[in-house]
Amino acid sequence: MEPDVLGPPYERQTIDLGTDDEGPVVATLVRRRAERPTRRAVLYTHGFTDYFFQAHLGHFFAERGWDFYALDLRKHGRSLLPHQTPNFCREIGDYFPELDAAAKIIRDDDGHDTLLAMGHSTGGLVMPLWAHARRDAGIIDGVFLNSPFFDLNAPWLLRRPLAAAAARLGRRAPRRVLPFGLGTVYSETIHADHRGEWQYDLEWKPLAGFPVRAGWLNAIRTGQRQLRAGLDIQVPVLLACSTRSFKGTRWHESAALADAVLDVEHMVRWAPRLGRHVTVARFDGGMHDLTLSGPAVREQVFAEVGRWAEAFLGAGPTDVRPEPVDAGVPGGRRPADEPDPADAAAQSG
């Protein structure tokens, strides 16, 4: 492990994945250890046009006695190399080798015997497909999905026949840029330079996202069709999302109280197809990444995750002092050498 861009106590390890048609490929495993030795761990994966920067999420699990790991998938964030097409894949299974490698490091090298797999947005599609594919290997013990990408957020005509046509194009010309993108509403809502409270690297996570390419859409559509047909995840699943979606293309204050990227009703509709033991939790005022929602919603999300993990994975405690957020540092972290006022107060009292 080497120092990570988030600073201590985060560290990272590069995973060599060989080469593809663009050249060398790597993934990056970021780690934050709990204060005391533990045999429990979390493995987190991000979404499209995304990477791991939510340091307060690692703090939440570390304070509860979990070692926290986050994987920047190939061609995302820390793993994006100069010769690569950002955030591109030809099929969801392209990501399985780095998930396998990360799980091996967590279980075999670092000695954990309980592993919670967590995925956000596109990562919330990748993780359940991987969990289904590895369901007989005994790799994971639970799955937590944060606003997963189960369907395209578009009217039926675009979501089905037009998306099918784009998918066919993806097989012939996978890197063809499609004439639509993510927009900036969500990014404006979360980034501190606009209307949000979070700092992150705009080279790795641009406000308007990276171009959507036909091959990537084909991969997503194929994975979503497999999921909607039904998976057989053998471990408990928690699916969390907002109570509403924001459909506007221009920023409005209500975007800060809803999912401004995906349709939350798709998530709820397809949740039963994940497996036989699925819990759905919805949060009023939650944003697309629930962990970046306003403080009151974040507290509710973390409390629910804590209760669920304690109930189904035997993983207490569920009460923790929240980490103060400093929007002026990447990932919302206070610099490592700056004392926490709550700690100082506790010592003086």
Side-chain angles (χ1 to χ4, degrees), residues 175-250:
R175 290 186 174 81
R176 179 76 60 83
V177 175
L178 299 176
F180 52 83
L182 300 179
T184 63
V185 171
Y186 177 58
S187 296
E188 290 181 47
T189 306
I190 62 174
H191 199 278
D193 290 350
H194 296 267
R195 298 174 173 90
E197 61 175 303
W198 307 99
Q199 286 283 6
Y200 51 82
D201 191 327
L202 293 176
E203 293 293 319
W204 290 346
K205 185 177 172 65
L207 287 178
F210 290 110
V212 175
R213 298 179 185 272
W216 176 86
L217 181 61
N218 180 50
I220 293 299
R221 184 173 179 274
T222 301
Q224 290 175 339
R225 291 176 65 189
Q226 180 186 354
L227 183 146
R228 295 195 301 266
L231 304 182
D232 186 24
I233 298 175
Q234 298 288 315
V235 298
V237 179
L238 171 63
L239 186 152
C241 64
S242 182
T243 56
R244 65 179 72 90
S245 294
F246 176 81
K247 299 291 187 178
T249 57
R250 294 186 178 182

Coordinates of all heavy atoms in Angstrom, one line a residue, residues 175-250:
R175 N -17.0 2.7 -29.5 CA -16.6 4.0 -29.0 C -17.3 5.2 -29.6 O -16.9 6.3 -29.4 CB -15.0 4.1 -29.1 CG -14.3 3.2 -28.1 CD -12.8 3.4 -28.1 NE -12.2 2.6 -27.1 CZ -11.9 1.3 -27.2 NH1 -12.2 0.7 -28.3 NH2 -11.4 0.6 -26.2
R176 N -18.3 4.9 -30.4 CA -19.1 6.0 -31.0 C -19.8 6.8 -29.9 O -20.5 6.2 -29.0 CB -20.1 5.4 -31.9 CG -21.0 6.5 -32.6 CD -20.4 7.2 -33.7 NE -19.9 6.3 -34.7 CZ -20.7 5.9 -35.7 NH1 -22.0 6.2 -35.8 NH2 -20.2 5.1 -36.7
V177 N -19.6 8.1 -29.9 CA -20.3 8.9 -28.9 C -21.7 9.1 -29.2 O -22.1 9.5 -30.4 CB -19.5 10.3 -28.7 CG1 -20.3 11.2 -27.8 CG2 -18.1 10.1 -28.3
L178 N -22.6 8.9 -28.3 CA -24.0 9.1 -28.5 C -24.5 10.5 -28.1 O -23.9 11.2 -27.3 CB -24.8 8.1 -27.6 CG -24.5 6.6 -27.9 CD1 -25.2 5.7 -26.9 CD2 -24.9 6.2 -29.3
P179 N -25.5 11.0 -28.8 CA -25.9 12.4 -28.6 C -26.7 12.7 -27.4 O -27.8 13.4 -27.5 CB -26.8 12.6 -29.9 CG -27.4 11.3 -30.2 CD -26.4 10.3 -29.8
F180 N -26.3 12.2 -26.3 CA -27.0 12.6 -25.0 C -26.0 12.3 -23.9 O -25.0 11.6 -24.1 CB -28.3 11.8 -24.7 CG -28.1 10.3 -24.8 CD1 -27.7 9.5 -23.7 CD2 -28.5 9.6 -26.0 CE1 -27.6 8.2 -23.8 CE2 -28.4 8.2 -26.1 CZ -27.9 7.5 -25.0
G181 N -26.2 13.0 -22.8 CA -25.2 12.9 -21.7 C -25.9 13.0 -20.3 O -27.2 12.9 -20.2
L182 N -25.2 13.3 -19.3 CA -25.7 13.3 -17.9 C -26.3 14.6 -17.5 O -27.1 14.7 -16.6 CB -24.6 12.9 -16.9 CG -24.0 11.5 -17.1 CD1 -22.9 11.2 -16.1 CD2 -25.1 10.4 -17.1
G183 N -25.9 15.7 -18.1 CA -26.3 17.0 -17.7 C -25.5 17.4 -16.4 O -24.6 16.7 -15.9
T184 N -25.7 18.6 -15.9 CA -25.0 19.1 -14.8 C -25.8 19.3 -13.5 O -25.2 19.8 -12.5 CB -24.3 20.5 -15.1 OG1 -25.4 21.4 -15.4 CG2 -23.4 20.3 -16.4
V185 N -27.1 19.0 -13.5 CA -27.9 19.3 -12.3 C -27.4 18.7 -11.1 O -27.2 19.3 -10.0 CB -29.4 18.9 -12.6 CG1 -30.2 19.0 -11.3 CG2 -30.0 19.8 -13.7
Y186 N -27.1 17.4 -11.2 CA -26.6 16.6 -10.0 C -25.3 17.1 -9.5 O -25.1 17.4 -8.3 CB -26.6 15.1 -10.3 CG -26.1 14.3 -9.1 CD1 -26.7 14.3 -7.9 CD2 -24.9 13.5 -9.3 CE1 -26.2 13.6 -6.8 CE2 -24.5 12.7 -8.2 CZ -25.1 12.8 -7.0 OH -24.6 12.0 -6.0
S187 N -24.4 17.3 -10.5 CA -23.0 17.8 -10.1 C -23.1 19.2 -9.4 O -22.4 19.5 -8.4 CB -22.1 17.9 -11.3 OG -21.9 16.6 -11.8
E188 N -24.0 20.1 -9.9 CA -24.1 21.4 -9.3 C -24.7 21.3 -7.9 O -24.4 22.1 -7.0 CB -25.1 22.2 -10.2 CG -24.6 22.7 -11.5 CD -25.6 23.5 -12.2 OE1 -26.1 24.4 -11.6 OE2 -25.8 23.3 -13.4
T189 N -25.5 20.2 -7.7 CA -26.1 20.1 -6.4 C -25.1 19.6 -5.3 O -25.3 19.9 -4.1 CB -27.3 19.0 -6.5 OG1 -28.2 19.5 -7.5 CG2 -28.0 18.9 -5.2
I190 N -24.1 18.9 -5.7 CA -23.2 18.3 -4.7 C -21.8 19.0 -4.6 O -21.2 18.9 -3.6 CB -23.0 16.8 -5.0 CG1 -22.3 16.5 -6.3 CG2 -24.3 16.0 -4.8 CD1 -22.0 15.0 -6.5
H191 N -21.3 19.6 -5.7 CA -20.0 20.2 -5.7 C -19.9 21.5 -5.0 O -20.8 22.4 -5.1 CB -19.4 20.4 -7.1 CG -17.9 20.5 -7.1 ND1 -17.3 21.7 -6.9 CD2 -17.0 19.6 -7.4 CE1 -16.0 21.5 -7.0 NE2 -15.8 20.2 -7.2
A192 N -18.9 21.7 -4.1 CA -18.8 22.9 -3.3 C -18.6 24.2 -4.1 O -18.9 25.3 -3.5 CB -17.7 22.7 -2.3
D193 N -18.1 24.1 -5.3 CA -17.9 25.3 -6.1 C -19.2 25.8 -6.7 O -19.3 26.9 -7.3 CB -16.9 25.0 -7.3 CG -15.5 24.8 -6.8 OD1 -15.2 25.1 -5.6 OD2 -14.6 24.4 -7.6
H194 N -20.3 25.0 -6.5 CA -21.6 25.4 -7.0 C -22.6 25.5 -5.8 O -22.5 26.4 -5.1 CB -22.0 24.4 -8.1 CG -21.1 24.5 -9.3 ND1 -21.3 25.2 -10.4 CD2 -19.9 23.8 -9.5 CE1 -20.4 25.1 -11.3 NE2 -19.5 24.3 -10.8
R195 N -23.4 24.5 -5.7 CA -24.5 24.6 -4.6 C -24.4 23.5 -3.6 O -25.2 23.3 -2.8 CB -25.9 24.6 -5.3 CG -26.1 25.7 -6.2 CD -27.4 25.6 -7.0 NE -27.8 26.7 -7.7 CZ -27.4 26.9 -9.0 NH1 -26.7 26.0 -9.6 NH2 -27.8 28.0 -9.7
G196 N -23.3 22.7 -3.6 CA -23.1 21.6 -2.7 C -22.1 21.8 -1.6 O -21.7 22.9 -1.4
E197 N -21.7 20.7 -1.0 CA -20.8 20.8 0.1 C -19.6 20.0 0.0 O -18.7 19.8 0.9 CB -21.5 20.5 1.5 CG -22.0 19.1 1.5 CD -22.6 18.7 2.9 OE1 -21.9 18.8 3.9 OE2 -23.8 18.4 3.0
W198 N -19.4 19.3 -1.2 CA -18.3 18.3 -1.4 C -17.3 18.8 -2.4 O -17.7 19.3 -3.5 CB -19.0 17.0 -1.8 CG -20.0 16.6 -0.9 CD1 -21.4 16.7 -1.1 CD2 -19.9 16.0 0.4 NE1 -22.1 16.2 0.0 CE2 -21.2 15.8 0.9 CE3 -18.8 15.6 1.1 CZ2 -21.4 15.2 2.2 CZ3 -19.0 15.0 2.4 CH2 -20.2 14.8 2.9
Q199 N -16.1 18.5 -2.1 CA -15.0 18.8 -3.1 C -14.5 17.4 -3.7 O -14.4 16.4 -2.9 CB -13.8 19.4 -2.4 CG -14.0 20.9 -2.0 CD -13.9 21.8 -3.2 OE1 -13.7 21.4 -4.4 NE2 -13.9 23.1 -3.0
Y200 N -14.3 17.4 -5.0 CA -13.7 16.2 -5.6 C -13.1 16.7 -6.9 O -13.2 17.8 -7.3 CB -14.8 15.2 -5.9 CG -16.1 15.6 -6.6 CD1 -16.1 15.8 -8.0 CD2 -17.2 16.0 -5.9 CE1 -17.2 16.2 -8.7 CE2 -18.4 16.4 -6.5 CZ -18.4 16.5 -7.9 OH -19.5 16.9 -8.6
D201 N -12.3 15.8 -7.5 CA -11.5 16.1 -8.6 C -12.3 16.1 -9.9 O -12.9 15.1 -10.3 CB -10.4 15.0 -8.8 CG -9.3 15.3 -9.8 OD1 -9.6 16.0 -10.8 OD2 -8.1 14.9 -9.6
L202 N -12.4 17.3 -10.5 CA -13.3 17.5 -11.7 C -12.6 16.9 -12.9 O -13.3 16.8 -14.0 CB -13.6 19.0 -11.9 CG -14.5 19.6 -10.8 CD1 -14.7 21.1 -11.0 CD2 -15.8 18.9 -10.7
E203 N -11.3 16.5 -12.9 CA -10.7 15.8 -14.0 C -11.2 14.3 -14.0 O -11.4 13.7 -15.0 CB -9.2 15.8 -13.9 CG -8.6 17.2 -14.1 CD -8.8 17.7 -15.5 OE1 -8.6 16.9 -16.4 OE2 -9.1 18.9 -15.6
W204 N -11.5 13.8 -12.8 CA -11.9 12.4 -12.7 C -13.5 12.3 -12.7 O -14.0 11.3 -13.0 CB -11.4 11.8 -11.4 CG -9.9 11.5 -11.4 CD1 -9.1 11.5 -12.6 CD2 -9.1 11.2 -10.3 NE1 -7.8 11.2 -12.2 CE2 -7.8 11.0 -10.8 CE3 -9.3 11.0 -9.0 CZ2 -6.7 10.7 -10.0 CZ3 -8.2 10.7 -8.1 CH2 -6.9 10.5 -8.7
K205 N -14.1 13.4 -12.3 CA -15.6 13.4 -12.2 C -16.1 14.8 -12.7 O -16.5 15.7 -12.0 CB -16.0 13.2 -10.8 CG -17.5 13.1 -10.5 CD -17.8 12.8 -9.1 CE -19.3 12.8 -8.7 NZ -20.0 11.8 -9.5
P206 N -16.1 15.0 -14.1 CA -16.5 16.3 -14.6 C -17.9 16.6 -14.3 O -18.8 15.7 -14.2 CB -16.3 16.1 -16.1 CG -15.4 14.9 -16.3 CD -15.7 14.0 -15.1
L207 N -18.2 17.9 -14.3 CA -19.6 18.3 -14.0 C -20.6 17.8 -14.9 O -21.7 17.3 -14.5 CB -19.7 19.9 -14.0 CG -19.0 20.6 -12.8 CD1 -19.1 22.1 -13.0 CD2 -19.6 20.2 -11.5
A208 N -20.3 17.8 -16.2 CA -21.2 17.2 -17.2 C -20.9 15.8 -17.6 O -21.6 15.2 -18.5 CB -21.1 18.1 -18.5
G209 N -20.0 15.1 -16.8 CA -19.8 13.7 -17.1 C -18.9 13.5 -18.3 O -18.5 14.4 -19.0
F210 N -18.5 12.3 -18.5 CA -17.8 11.9 -19.7 C -18.8 11.5 -20.8 O -20.0 11.2 -20.5 CB -16.9 10.7 -19.4 CG -15.7 11.0 -18.5 CD1 -15.6 10.5 -17.2 CD2 -14.7 11.8 -19.0 CE1 -14.5 10.9 -16.4 CE2 -13.6 12.1 -18.2 CZ -13.5 11.7 -16.9
P211 N -18.4 11.5 -22.0 CA -19.3 11.1 -23.1 C -19.8 9.7 -22.9 O -19.1 8.8 -22.5 CB -18.4 11.2 -24.4 CG -17.3 12.2 -24.0 CD -17.1 11.9 -22.6
V212 N -21.1 9.6 -23.3 CA -21.7 8.3 -23.3 C -21.5 7.6 -24.6 O -21.8 8.1 -25.7 CB -23.2 8.4 -23.0 CG1 -23.9 7.0 -23.1 CG2 -23.5 9.0 -21.7
R213 N -20.9 6.4 -24.6 CA -20.5 5.7 -25.8 C -21.3 4.5 -26.1 O -21.8 3.9 -25.1 CB -19.0 5.4 -25.8 CG -18.1 6.6 -25.7 CD -16.6 6.3 -25.6 NE -15.8 7.5 -25.4 CZ -15.4 8.3 -26.3 NH1 -15.6 7.9 -27.6 NH2 -14.7 9.4 -26.0
A214 N -21.5 4.2 -27.3 CA -22.4 3.1 -27.7 C -22.1 1.8 -27.1 O -23.0 1.0 -26.6 CB -22.5 3.0 -29.2
G215 N -20.8 1.4 -27.0 CA -20.4 0.2 -26.4 C -20.7 0.1 -25.0 O -21.1 -1.0 -24.4
W216 N -20.5 1.2 -24.2 CA -20.8 1.3 -22.8 C -22.3 1.1 -22.6 O -22.8 0.3 -21.7 CB -20.4 2.6 -22.2 CG -20.7 2.8 -20.8 CD1 -20.0 2.4 -19.7 CD2 -21.9 3.4 -20.3 NE1 -20.7 2.7 -18.5 CE2 -21.8 3.3 -18.9 CE3 -23.0 4.1 -20.9 CZ2 -22.8 3.9 -18.0 CZ3 -24.0 4.6 -20.0 CH2 -23.9 4.5 -18.6
L217 N -23.1 1.8 -23.4 CA -24.6 1.6 -23.3 C -25.0 0.2 -23.6 O -25.9 -0.3 -22.9 CB -25.3 2.6 -24.3 CG -26.8 2.5 -24.2 CD1 -27.3 2.9 -22.8 CD2 -27.4 3.4 -25.3
N218 N -24.4 -0.4 -24.5 CA -24.7 -1.8 -24.8 C -24.4 -2.7 -23.6 O -25.2 -3.6 -23.2 CB -24.0 -2.3 -26.0 CG -24.2 -3.8 -26.4 OD1 -25.4 -4.2 -26.4 ND2 -23.2 -4.6 -26.5
A219 N -23.3 -2.5 -23.0 CA -22.9 -3.2 -21.8 C -23.9 -3.0 -20.6 O -24.3 -4.0 -20.0 CB -21.5 -2.8 -21.3
I220 N -24.3 -1.8 -20.4 CA -25.3 -1.4 -19.4 C -26.6 -2.1 -19.7 O -27.2 -2.7 -18.8 CB -25.4 0.1 -19.2 CG1 -24.1 0.7 -18.7 CG2 -26.6 0.4 -18.3 CD1 -23.7 0.2 -17.3
R221 N -27.1 -1.9 -20.9 CA -28.4 -2.5 -21.2 C -28.4 -4.0 -21.1 O -29.4 -4.6 -20.6 CB -28.7 -2.1 -22.7 CG -30.1 -2.5 -23.1 CD -30.5 -1.9 -24.5 NE -31.8 -2.3 -24.9 CZ -32.0 -3.4 -25.5 NH1 -31.0 -4.3 -25.8 NH2 -33.3 -3.8 -25.9
T222 N -27.3 -4.7 -21.5 CA -27.2 -6.1 -21.4 C -27.3 -6.5 -19.9 O -28.0 -7.5 -19.5 CB -26.0 -6.6 -22.1 OG1 -26.0 -6.3 -23.4 CG2 -25.9 -8.2 -21.9
G223 N -26.5 -5.8 -19.1 CA -26.5 -6.1 -17.6 C -27.8 -5.9 -17.0 O -28.3 -6.7 -16.1
Q224 N -28.5 -4.8 -17.4 CA -29.8 -4.5 -16.8 C -30.8 -5.6 -17.2 O -31.7 -5.9 -16.4 CB -30.3 -3.1 -17.2 CG -29.5 -2.0 -16.6 CD -29.8 -0.6 -17.1 OE1 -30.4 -0.5 -18.2 NE2 -29.5 0.4 -16.4
R225 N -30.8 -6.0 -18.4 CA -31.7 -7.0 -18.9 C -31.5 -8.3 -18.1 O -32.4 -9.0 -17.7 CB -31.5 -7.3 -20.4 CG -32.0 -6.1 -21.2 CD -31.8 -6.4 -22.7 NE -32.5 -7.5 -23.2 CZ -32.4 -8.0 -24.4 NH1 -31.4 -7.6 -25.2 NH2 -33.1 -9.0 -24.8
Q226 N -30.2 -8.7 -17.8 CA -29.9 -9.9 -17.0 C -30.5 -9.7 -15.6 O -31.1 -10.6 -15.1 CB -28.4 -10.1 -16.9 CG -28.1 -11.4 -16.1 CD -26.6 -11.5 -15.9 OE1 -25.8 -10.8 -16.5 NE2 -26.2 -12.5 -15.1
L227 N -30.3 -8.6 -15.0 CA -30.8 -8.3 -13.7 C -32.3 -8.4 -13.6 O -32.9 -9.0 -12.7 CB -30.3 -7.0 -13.1 CG -30.6 -6.6 -11.7 CD1 -29.5 -5.8 -11.1 CD2 -31.9 -5.8 -11.6
R228 N -33.0 -7.7 -14.6 CA -34.4 -7.7 -14.5 C -35.0 -9.1 -14.8 O -36.2 -9.3 -14.4 CB -34.9 -6.7 -15.5 CG -34.6 -5.2 -15.2 CD -35.4 -4.2 -16.0 NE -35.2 -4.4 -17.4 CZ -34.3 -3.7 -18.1 NH1 -33.5 -2.8 -17.6 NH2 -34.3 -3.8 -19.4
A229 N -34.3 -9.9 -15.5 CA -34.8 -11.3 -15.7 C -34.7 -12.1 -14.4 O -35.4 -13.2 -14.3 CB -33.9 -12.0 -16.8
G230 N -33.9 -11.7 -13.5 CA -33.8 -12.3 -12.2 C -32.5 -12.9 -11.8 O -31.9 -13.6 -12.6
L231 N -31.9 -12.5 -10.7 CA -30.7 -13.0 -10.2 C -30.9 -13.9 -9.0 O -32.1 -14.1 -8.5 CB -29.8 -11.8 -9.7 CG -29.5 -10.7 -10.8 CD1 -28.5 -9.7 -10.2 CD2 -28.9 -11.3 -12.0
D232 N -29.9 -14.6 -8.5 CA -30.0 -15.5 -7.4 C -28.9 -15.2 -6.4 O -28.1 -16.1 -6.1 CB -29.9 -17.0 -7.9 CG -30.2 -18.0 -6.8 OD1 -30.8 -17.6 -5.8 OD2 -29.7 -19.1 -7.0
I233 N -28.9 -14.0 -5.9 CA -27.9 -13.6 -4.9 C -28.3 -14.3 -3.6 O -29.4 -14.3 -3.1 CB -27.9 -12.1 -4.7 CG1 -27.5 -11.4 -6.0 CG2 -27.0 -11.7 -3.5 CD1 -27.5 -9.9 -5.9
Q234 N -27.3 -15.0 -3.0 CA -27.6 -15.9 -1.9 C -27.6 -15.3 -0.5 O -27.9 -15.9 0.5 CB -26.6 -17.1 -1.9 CG -26.7 -18.0 -3.2 CD -28.0 -18.8 -3.2 OE1 -28.3 -19.4 -2.2 NE2 -28.6 -18.8 -4.3
V235 N -27.1 -14.0 -0.5 CA -26.9 -13.3 0.8 C -27.9 -12.2 0.9 O -28.5 -11.8 -0.1 CB -25.4 -12.8 0.9 CG1 -24.4 -14.0 0.9 CG2 -25.1 -11.8 -0.2
P236 N -28.1 -11.7 2.2 CA -29.0 -10.5 2.3 C -28.6 -9.3 1.5 O -27.4 -9.0 1.4 CB -29.0 -10.3 3.8 CG -28.5 -11.5 4.5 CD -27.6 -12.1 3.4
V237 N -29.6 -8.6 1.0 CA -29.4 -7.4 0.2 C -30.2 -6.3 0.8 O -31.3 -6.4 1.2 CB -29.8 -7.6 -1.3 CG1 -29.6 -6.3 -2.1 CG2 -29.1 -8.8 -1.9
L238 N -29.5 -5.1 1.0 CA -30.2 -3.9 1.4 C -30.1 -2.9 0.2 O -29.0 -2.6 -0.3 CB -29.5 -3.2 2.6 CG -30.0 -1.8 2.9 CD1 -31.5 -1.8 3.3 CD2 -29.2 -1.2 4.0
L239 N -31.3 -2.5 -0.3 CA -31.4 -1.5 -1.4 C -31.9 -0.2 -0.8 O -33.0 -0.2 -0.3 CB -32.2 -2.0 -2.6 CG -32.3 -1.1 -3.8 CD1 -32.6 -2.0 -5.0 CD2 -33.3 0.0 -3.7
A240 N -31.2 0.8 -1.0 CA -31.6 2.1 -0.4 C -31.6 3.2 -1.5 O -30.8 3.2 -2.5 CB -30.6 2.6 0.6
C241 N -32.7 4.0 -1.5 CA -32.9 5.0 -2.5 C -33.7 6.2 -1.9 O -34.3 6.1 -0.8 CB -33.5 4.5 -3.8 SG -35.1 3.8 -3.6
S242 N -33.8 7.2 -2.7 CA -34.7 8.4 -2.3 C -36.2 8.0 -2.5 O -36.5 7.0 -3.1 CB -34.3 9.6 -3.2 OG -35.1 10.7 -2.8
T243 N -37.0 8.9 -2.0 CA -38.5 8.7 -2.2 C -38.9 9.3 -3.5 O -40.1 9.1 -3.9 CB -39.2 9.3 -1.0 OG1 -38.9 10.7 -0.9 CG2 -38.9 8.6 0.3
R244 N -38.1 10.1 -4.1 CA -38.5 10.8 -5.4 C -37.4 11.1 -6.3 O -36.2 11.1 -5.8 CB -39.3 12.1 -5.0 CG -38.4 13.1 -4.4 CD -39.1 14.4 -4.1 NE -40.1 14.2 -3.0 CZ -39.8 14.5 -1.7 NH1 -38.5 14.8 -1.4 NH2 -40.6 14.3 -0.8
S245 N -37.7 11.3 -7.6 CA -36.7 11.7 -8.5 C -36.9 13.1 -9.0 O -38.1 13.6 -9.0 CB -36.7 10.7 -9.7 OG -36.3 9.4 -9.4
F246 N -35.9 13.8 -9.4 CA -36.0 15.1 -10.0 C -35.8 15.0 -11.5 O -34.8 14.5 -11.9 CB -34.9 16.0 -9.4 CG -34.8 17.4 -10.0 CD1 -35.7 18.4 -9.6 CD2 -33.9 17.7 -11.0 CE1 -35.7 19.7 -10.1 CE2 -33.9 19.0 -11.5 CZ -34.8 20.0 -11.1
K247 N -36.7 15.5 -12.3 CA -36.7 15.3 -13.7 C -36.3 16.5 -14.5 O -36.1 16.4 -15.7 CB -38.1 14.9 -14.2 CG -38.7 13.6 -13.5 CD -37.9 12.4 -14.0 CE -38.6 11.1 -13.5 NZ -37.9 9.9 -14.0
G248 N -36.0 17.6 -13.9 CA -35.7 18.8 -14.6 C -34.3 18.8 -15.2 O -33.4 18.0 -14.8
T249 N -34.1 19.6 -16.2 CA -32.8 19.7 -16.9 C -32.0 20.9 -16.4 O -30.8 21.1 -16.8 CB -32.9 19.7 -18.4 OG1 -33.8 20.8 -18.8 CG2 -33.5 18.4 -18.9
R250 N -32.7 21.8 -15.7 CA -32.0 23.0 -15.1 C -32.1 22.9 -13.6 O -33.1 22.4 -13.0 CB -32.7 24.3 -15.6 CG -32.5 24.5 -17.1 CD -33.0 25.9 -17.4 NE -32.8 26.2 -18.9 CZ -33.1 27.3 -19.4 NH1 -33.7 28.3 -18.7 NH2 -32.9 27.5 -20.7

